[in-house]
Amino acid sequence: MAESVRFNDHVKDQLARTPELARRIVARTQAALRDSGTDLSLAQDRNLLFGVDETVQARRADFESALAQHLQDEIRATQGEGPGGRKLHELTIDQLTLVDENQAEQDIEISRTVQLIDLVAEWELRELQACTSALQGDAAPRPHTNPLRPAVFARALGAATRVLPLSAGERNMLLRLAGRVLADCLREHYREVSDTLKSLGCKPLPFKAVTHPRRSPPPSALVVTQPGALESLLDRMPLPPAPPATPAASGGTLTFGVLSRKLDEINDPQGLAARRSEAQVSRLLSTLFQQMQADAEVPASLRQLIGQMEPVLQRAARQDAWVLRSDQHPAWRLINQMAAYAAGYGENEGAALRGFLAFMQPRIARMLPEPGPSSVELETTLKEMQQFIVSQSQAAVQQAPQAVARLREADQRLTLHPLLQQQVVNQVELVKLPQVIKDFLCGPWVEVLTHTMATTSPEDDESQAMLCVVDDLVQSLQRPESIEAREALRRKLPDLSCRLQRGMASINMPRAEQETLLEALMRMHTRVLMATPKPAKPERERTGFESSTLANLDALLDDLRFMQAGERPLDTNLGSLPTVPMAFGENADDAAILARRRQWADALTPGTWCKLFMQGQWTTARLLWVSDNRQFYLFGSDLAGRLHSLSRRALERLRAEGLATSLQDRSLMQRAVDSMVQELDS
């Protein structure tokens, strides 16, 4: 209890010291901005760097105050005093952790800051962790209980920069430069705090300079996704020892049984080879399952269930050569996907894992009796498991219906906007219109159409009414050809005005901008109505664009119906997954890297576990939902009890920096083969 009181006093002391620490960090950051030796590669040009310096100087007090406040909030959050998680059904899209490309860039900078602090202040941080763990009465240092861990400061710095009126590029540049300053400041601060704690009688726990985390076997040159990879190990499997010959008691002559076996070997060499081959296959599969059951990444409860699959594979291999020739055999896919799904559950999620095992146990048991399951039966079991995984994800998503509905709408917006914009541009580029009208139709009105089409059906009356505004508005600004046409236009203008007002209101267009546009239109329409009707021109042949306008609109509506039905075909080739996460800072311009990044995102399916760097820390997250057009991904994790929505571009950006990867970069089968090869080579 005394130790807990001392730890609480330590936390209170650090909260009180945050204003002074914030002032020190901001002052040194500003000095670094003004230093003539500053690395200008951080900014596109010197003016950008000077602009950031001027902004920090003008808002220095706000920056210091925000940094101190966010530091206090982050420190309190480490003690469970920050805003906690909420139940899924209480969440709306505005309360999700929404990660777009700008937020992804900030997370990348936070990651770099954390790594920099770990590098610059490594020893000071370890000693402080040893002291804080001692205050809490722990037997060994626990970094995640340290209220002054690097992620706390990196997140606070990232949040504090939002008080400054900076562009995304300026903010990222400031974060990178301030991160260097922060690392140096924390090195001093950690040393000061440790010295203070030790002067008060705290004895730091002993700690190792180097930790040895649990590691998987190193990758081997044998890749199981290559056809026949497993089969190539057969020749390296030792044969069982031959039974010893039994000579006669006198004279050393062979018995009749031994002589018979010798004759069999001479007369039937193929049969002997077959028997030896069966023994090698059996030995290979037995060794492979031993490695699987020894895999530390697989929960112990699942290892036992996987072990029950060995006789199933032994029988299947005798009947189907495909077992040894491809990792895509349904038996291997079943085992790999079982292991990948179960590996994502933490210690506090035992109930969910037990539910999955309870579902799989009877399905494994039904495959054990002779003669064993066929490939079709194995495929059926695999599909049942996949459906169970998807149903668990759907159950989590159904608790947040409002959030998912809004994400679907946002997904439709991202897909519809370029299609609709191109259509409108095509419609107005060949007619004479005032520039203000062209800008309105190709800008705000495209937003109106996008919103309308994303929230209603293409056949809806309101959708049709909004789509027709473009043609009606263009026509209303042309001088009528007769008195009758002018009167018809006069009758149509009130309805056109109402549709324009409804559309602009639907996207919350500022009232002043609406009134400005309507006043300009009123003046234009007044001139058109007062103009003398122009004589009718001889009928001319329609241009290709004019004759196909209706056809283009119909084709567009067909595309929209197709997308909203969720029938877009997708490439989800699982064989394209990378075997290792991409290296930090890979060249984003490399076409091959871009392709692998997209393929990885396309291959993600609900139920897949990933490791994501978000909010300044790594978290294990399960993919719960993917939007129809794959523009949004919804993950669930125990990070503050929240859901996390990532845009496609943000996810690919994190992937490019090594901050998003599948939980298991190698399948269970691949890891088992790697272990076998390592032992055989040794």
Side-chain angles (χ1 to χ4, degrees):
M1 183 66 179
E3 302 294 344
S4 177
V5 170
R6 293 175 63 189
F7 179 78
N8 291 336
D9 290 341
H10 163 64
V11 173
K12 292 177 182 178
D13 179 58
Q14 294 309 306
L15 289 171
R17 295 180 64 179
T18 53
E20 175 57 33
L21 181 59
R23 282 192 291 271
R24 189 191 313 174
I25 294 170
V26 173
R28 292 190 183 181
T29 297
Q30 194 162 19
L33 285 167
R34 294 175 177 177
D35 186 359
S36 59
T38 297
D39 182 6
L40 291 182
S41 66
L42 296 174
Q44 294 181 358
D45 54 51
R46 187 177 295 271
N47 291 333
L48 178 63
L49 189 68
F50 290 163
V52 174
D53 181 27
E54 291 176 359
T55 301
V56 172
Q57 175 63 28
R59 302 287 296 273
R60 177 170 175 171
D62 294 338
F63 191 20
E64 289 179 358
S65 176
L67 181 55
Q69 184 61 54
H70 285 296
L71 282 173
Q72 292 177 352
D73 291 343
E74 290 290 343
I75 292 173
R76 290 192 181 99
T78 65
Q79 308 307 304
E81 300 174 12
R86 302 182 61 187
K87 296 180 180 179
L88 295 183
H89 69 271
E90 297 175 347
L91 290 169
T92 66
I93 189 171
D94 297 326
Q95 296 162 327
L96 292 173
T97 304
L98 295 171
V99 181
D100 59 9
E101 197 169 13
N102 289 335
Q103 181 60 50
E105 291 294 341
Q106 291 190 37
D107 281 338
I108 290 169
E109 292 302 333
I110 289 174
S111 169
R112 289 172 177 162
T113 302
V114 170
Q115 292 179 7
L116 189 60
I117 296 171
D118 285 335
L119 179 65
V120 172
E122 178 183 4
W123 287 99
E124 292 79 6
L125 176 59
R126 288 181 182 276
E127 186 172 31
L128 179 58
Q129 289 172 348
C131 289
T132 55
S133 294
L135 289 180
Q136 293 176 298
D138 296 330
R142 293 189 301 159
H144 66 278
T145 64
N146 179 13
L148 303 183
R149 52 187 180 269
V152 166
F153 291 90
R155 284 196 298 266
L157 179 63
T161 60
R162 298 191 187 106
V163 76
L164 302 173
L166 299 171
S167 66
E170 291 172 331
R171 182 168 289 105
N172 289 335
M173 187 277 289
L174 175 61
L175 280 173
R176 187 171 300 185
L177 189 142
R180 299 178 181 180
V181 173
L182 178 62
D184 290 332
C185 287
L186 287 182
R187 184 178 183 180
E188 299 172 5
H189 188 67
Y190 287 160
R191 187 186 302 119
E192 293 171 3
V193 175
S194 296
D195 290 344
T196 300
L197 291 176
K198 286 187 287 186
S199 69
L200 295 175
C202 174
K203 296 181 178 180
L205 297 174
F207 60 91
K208 295 180 180 180
V210 179
T211 58
H212 298 281
R214 183 183 67 192
R215 293 182 178 179
S216 298
S220 66
L222 192 65
V223 181
V224 296
T225 56
Q226 299 298 321
L230 193 60
E231 195 174 28
S232 67
L233 287 174
L234 282 176
D235 292 338
R236 303 186 65 179
M237 290 293 104
L239 290 170
T246 308
S250 61
T253 59
L254 296 174
T255 65
F256 177 79
V258 173
L259 182 59
S260 176
R261 286 196 297 273
K262 292 288 186 181
L263 291 173
D264 286 343
E265 293 177 9
I266 296 171
N267 296 328
D268 188 14
Q270 293 182 349
L272 177 64
R275 288 193 295 275
R276 287 181 174 175
S277 178
E278 289 180 7
Q280 287 175 312
V281 170
S282 178
R283 186 67 175 267
L284 172 63
L285 293 175
S286 178
T287 306
L288 190 63
F289 271 89
Q290 288 175 9
Q291 297 293 346
M292 287 181 177
Q293 291 181 280
D295 194 304
E297 295 186 30
V298 180
S301 53
L302 182 64
R303 288 182 227 159
Q304 182 180 3
L305 195 60
I306 289 175
Q308 297 178 18
M309 289 287 293
E310 181 179 352
V312 176
L313 267 294
Q314 292 281 9
R315 288 195 298 268
R318 290 195 292 268
Q319 302 168 10
D320 188 356
W322 188 26
V323 172
L324 297 182
R325 293 176 182 170
S326 175
D327 70 320
Q328 292 302 302
H329 188 280
W332 294 128
R333 290 162 57 206
L334 178 64
I335 291 173
N336 284 334
Q337 292 184 30
M338 283 173 57
Y341 184 68
Y345 286 108
E347 296 178 357
N348 59 342
E349 297 175 301
L353 178 57
R354 286 194 297 272
F356 174 67
L357 296 176
F359 176 82
M360 292 305 302
Q361 181 64 63
R363 285 159 178 80
I364 299 297
R366 75 188 182 192
M367 296 188 290
L368 298 180
E370 294 283 358
S374 64
S375 295
V376 174
E377 292 169 324
L378 285 166
E379 195 73 51
T380 299
T381 302
L382 175 63
K383 290 180 179 179
E384 290 176 351
M385 181 188 71
Q386 292 170 339
Q387 290 171 356
F388 177 82
I389 293 173
V390 171
S391 68
Q392 284 195 321
S393 301
Q394 289 175 342
V397 169
Q398 287 171 359
Q399 297 181 59
Q402 292 180 333
V404 174
R406 295 286 297 276
L407 284 174
R408 283 199 175 101
E409 179 182 333
D411 176 65
Q412 290 290 329
R413 287 173 184 268
L414 286 178
T415 306
L416 291 169
H417 189 275
L419 296 174
L420 291 166
Q421 187 170 49
Q422 186 60 51
Q423 180 71 16
V424 173
V425 169
N426 290 341
Q427 285 183 256
V428 303
E429 66 180 359
L430 297 180
V431 294
K432 186 177 180 180
L433 287 173
Q435 190 60 43
V436 64
I437 300 302
K438 285 188 176 182
D439 292 342
F440 169 72
L441 290 176
C442 297
W445 197 254
V446 171
E447 299 293 337
V448 172
L449 294 179
T450 301
H451 170 76
T452 304
M453 301 302 292
T455 55
T456 63
S457 168
E459 292 83 2
D460 190 86
D461 291 343
E462 186 68 4
S463 296
Q464 297 289 335
M466 294 297 129
L467 282 170
C468 291
V469 162
V470 178
D471 286 331
D472 292 347
L473 183 57
V474 170
Q475 184 62 34
S476 72
L477 296 174
Q478 311 305 312
R479 189 162 52 140
E481 298 179 351
S482 64
I483 299 296
E484 292 77 11
R486 185 172 62 184
E487 291 304 314
L489 173 60
R490 192 191 304 276
R491 291 192 297 270
K492 292 179 180 178
L493 286 180
D495 176 65
L496 176 59
S497 178
C498 288
R499 283 183 284 159
L500 283 168
Q501 293 181 61
R502 290 203 311 272
M504 292 186 290
S506 70
I507 61 170
N508 297 317
M509 187 173 174
R511 187 65 186 174
E513 294 181 16
Q514 293 186 42
E515 292 176 354
T516 299
L517 177 76
L518 292 173
E519 288 174 2
L521 274 176
M522 184 172 64
R523 291 193 296 270
M524 296 176 195
H525 285 144
T526 299
R527 287 196 296 268
V528 170
L529 293 174
M530 294 180 65
T532 303
K534 62 182 178 180
K537 293 183 179 180
E539 187 69 22
R540 62 178 176 84
E541 183 179 356
R542 291 178 178 268
T543 65
F545 168 75
E546 292 173 321
S547 61
S548 61
T549 299
L550 185 57
N552 287 341
L553 181 57
D554 289 340
L556 175 64
L557 292 175
D558 288 340
D559 288 342
L560 298 180
R561 297 185 193 100
F562 188 69
M563 286 190 300
Q564 292 183 347
E567 298 172 355
R568 171 172 292 186
L570 296 169
D571 178 13
T572 54
N573 179 15
L574 297 179
S576 63
L577 280 172
T579 57
V580 295
M582 294 182 188
F584 183 85
E586 278 191 279
N587 183 5
D589 295 329
D590 188 325
I593 294 174
L594 289 171
R596 290 200 299 270
R597 192 188 311 167
R598 296 189 187 103
Q599 289 169 348
W600 177 78
D602 281 338
L604 294 177
T605 56
T608 303
W609 289 95
C610 294
K611 292 290 287 185
L612 303 173
F613 187 87
M614 295 185 299
Q615 302 178 23
Q617 66 188 78
W618 283 100
T619 182
T620 300
R622 179 161 57 107
L623 180 61
L624 301 177
W625 174 84
V626 182
S627 63
D628 293 338
N629 300 308
R630 300 191 79 87
Q631 295 300 317
F632 287 94
Y633 294 73
L634 187 63
F635 291 88
S637 78
D638 59 357
L639 182 60
R642 283 188 283 232
L643 297 177
H644 313 279
S645 173
L646 282 81
S647 70
R648 171 68 175 250
R649 293 172 65 89
L651 185 62
E652 290 184 0
R653 186 72 185 92
L654 292 175
R655 174 69 173 175
E657 295 292 343
L659 301 179
T661 184
S662 301
L663 180 61
Q664 293 188 336
D665 55 357
R666 287 179 291 163
S667 68
L668 175 60
M669 182 184 179
Q670 180 67 64
R671 298 197 302 272
V673 167
D674 291 341
S675 296
M676 288 176 59
V677 171
Q678 187 177 29
E679 291 184 0
L680 291 171
D681 290 343
S682 61

